Amino acid sequence: MEMTTTVPEARPEDMSGRQLALMVMILGALTAFSAMSIDMYLPAFPQIARDLGIPLSTVQLSISAFLFGSAGGQLFYGPMSDRWGRRPPLLIGLTLYVASAIGCACVRTGEGLLFWRVVMAVGGGAGMVISRAVVRDLYDTAEAAKMFSLLMLLMGVAPILAPIAGGQLLLVTGWRGIFGFLGAFGIATLVAAALYLPESLPSERRIRRNITKMAAIYGHLLLNRHYLRYSIALGCVAGVNFSYIAGVPFFLIELHGISPQHFGLFFGANACGLIGGSQLNRRLLRRYSPQQILNVAFATSATAGLLFAAALITGVGGFYLQVALLFVGLCMTGLLYPNVTALALAPFDKSAGSASALLGTIQYTLGATAGALVGVLHNGTAVPMAATMAGCGVLGWCAAVVMNRIRRVDIGLV
C-alpha cells in the first residue's frame, strides 16, 4: 500500500524565495534536534540525579543512550523514505519525538529516563536522516555542500543557546520543564514540516521493493569503497566533537577552575568557531572542490589535535595555547561536516534515504564510541580527550584523503 502526500513535490528552481527560506529553516531545525536534545539538559544533571534519587553517572549514561539510540534508529528511516517519500517517515518520527519528550518530563526512575531517551533518539533520528536526503534529492555535490554549510549555521546556534536556555528554564520550571520545551519544539517543527516542507522525492524515483530487499541496500552500501571511506571519515569528525563534549567540562571546570556560569561562554565560543568554519566553507566552495577543502581541513584538524595533546603533556604554552588549539580543531569540523556528507551521498540518487540513514548510523556509532573512550581512559588529566580527538583526526584524514589517492575501482554503486 502506497503512502502519498498532497504537498507538491519540490524543485528549487520552481520555489519562491519565501518557500526556499521556509524549507531551509525547517531543515535547519531538523538537523538541530540532536544538539538540542543533548545540550539543553546538561545544566540539569545534578538536579535530575537528586530528584530521581539516582547516581549522577546514571544521568550521564542518558547521553550515551541517546547517541546509540540515534545510531540504531536512523536505519529505519532510510528504506521507508526511499519507498514512500521523505515526508511520511519524517512526520512519524517527529510524532514519536514529541511523545518521548513528554515521557522524559514525567519519569520517576532512572530506568524510565534511559528508556525515554532512547525513544527520543529514535524519533529525532528521522529529522537527521530526512534533512540530508532532501538536500541530496535537490542539489548536486557542490551545491549540496553549500546547503549543508548553511544548515550548519542554523544547527550551530543550538550548542550556543541550548545550555543557556536550559539553565534559565531550570531556574523557572525545573528539569522537567526542559523536556517540556523540547516537546514544544518538536510540535512546532512537526506542524511546520506538515504544512510547508514539500516532498523532494518524486514518485518515479522511489524504490518499488519490499522492506526486506530495501534493507539489503545497506549491505551494498557497506561494500562501496567510496561510501565507506567517507562514512568512516564523517564518523571521525563526529568523534572529534563527541570527544570534546565528553571531556571539556572536566578540562575547563575541574582542571582550570572555570565556573559553571562561565563554562557556557567557552562552550559557546567554540560553537561559534564551528559556525564560522561552516560559513567559510560556503565561500571556499566558489573556488575549490569539496575534496580539496577537506584535504586541508583534515590535515589541520589532525595537526591541531596532536599539538593539543603535546601541549597538555608538556605544559608548553599553558592554558591559552591549549584553548587556541582546541578552537582550531573545532573550527575544522565546520569545514568537514558539509563536504564529507556531500561527497558520501554524491553517487546515490534513488537510494539517498538509505545512504543518509546508514551514514548517520556510522557517524553516531563512531562518535559515541569516541566519547565513551574519553571516559574509559580518564586519568585525571585532559590528555585522553586530546588523544582521542587527535586519533579521530588522523583516522579521518587517512580515510578521506590518503585512501582517496589510492586509485581503485569502487564496488557496485547503488
Side-chain angles (χ1 to χ4, degrees), residues 189-212:
T189 307
L190 172 62
V191 172
L195 295 178
Y196 300 114
L197 184 65
E199 177 58 64
S200 63
L201 185 65
S203 56
E204 64 271 13
R205 286 172 52 196
R206 297 175 190 175
I207 300 178
R208 310 296 181 180
R209 303 176 187 171
N210 61 46
I211 294 297
T212 302

Side-chain angles (χ1 to χ4, degrees), residues 40-274:
M40 196 164 193
Y41 82 129
L42 292 178
F45 274 21
Q47 190 180 102
I48 294 174
R50 288 194 302 269
D51 191 23
L52 297 181
I54 59 177
L56 185 62
S57 59
T58 301
V59 185
Q60 292 172 328
L61 186 60
S62 68
I63 292 182
S64 297
F66 184 89
L67 294 176
F68 284 110
S70 292
Q74 292 184 58
L75 291 175
F76 294 104
Y77 298 107
M80 291 171 62
S81 68
D82 286 337
R83 179 176 176 81
W84 291 309
R86 309 307 183 198
R87 283 172 47 84
L90 174 62
L91 300 181
I92 292 171
L94 291 178
T95 301
L96 185 61
Y97 181 90
V98 172
S100 64
I102 297 172
C104 287
C106 297
V107 295
R108 300 296 176 186
T109 65
E111 292 78 6
L113 177 65
L114 296 178
F115 170 79
W116 284 113
R117 286 292 287 173
V118 172
V119 177
M120 177 179 277
V122 173
M128 292 178 276
V129 171
I130 302 302
S131 60
R132 289 190 298 259
V134 168
V135 172
R136 174 59 188 88
D137 289 338
L138 301 179
Y139 299 99
D140 61 21
T141 304
E143 290 300 315
K146 292 180 182 178
M147 180 59 72
F148 285 128
S149 296
L150 181 58
L151 296 182
M152 285 289 295
L153 172 62
L154 300 174
M155 183 182 74
V157 174
I160 300 174
L161 298 181
I164 298 173
Q168 296 305 310
L169 281 171
L170 193 61
L171 294 174
V172 178
T173 67
W175 65 270
R176 297 183 189 277
I178 295 176
F179 288 109
F181 178 87
L182 290 173
F185 177 73
I187 291 173
T189 307
L190 172 62
V191 172
L195 295 178
Y196 300 114
L197 184 65
E199 177 58 64
S200 63
L201 185 65
S203 56
E204 64 271 13
R205 286 172 52 196
R206 297 175 190 175
I207 300 178
R208 310 296 181 180
R209 303 176 187 171
N210 61 46
I211 294 297
T212 302
K213 291 182 178 179
M214 292 179 67
I217 292 175
Y218 289 137
H220 295 289
L221 287 168
L222 290 173
L223 292 176
N224 184 299
R225 291 172 184 166
H226 170 98
Y227 180 81
L228 192 57
R229 282 200 307 269
Y230 289 113
S231 296
I232 292 174
L234 188 64
C236 290
V237 179
V240 171
N241 269 341
F242 287 130
S243 299
Y244 159 74
I245 291 172
V248 75
F250 176 80
F251 170 65
L252 292 177
I253 297 174
E254 298 296 330
L255 292 183
H256 293 287
I258 304 298
S259 70
Q261 290 73 33
H262 290 115
F263 169 78
L265 298 178
F266 281 88
F267 197 84
N270 286 327
C272 287
L274 186 149

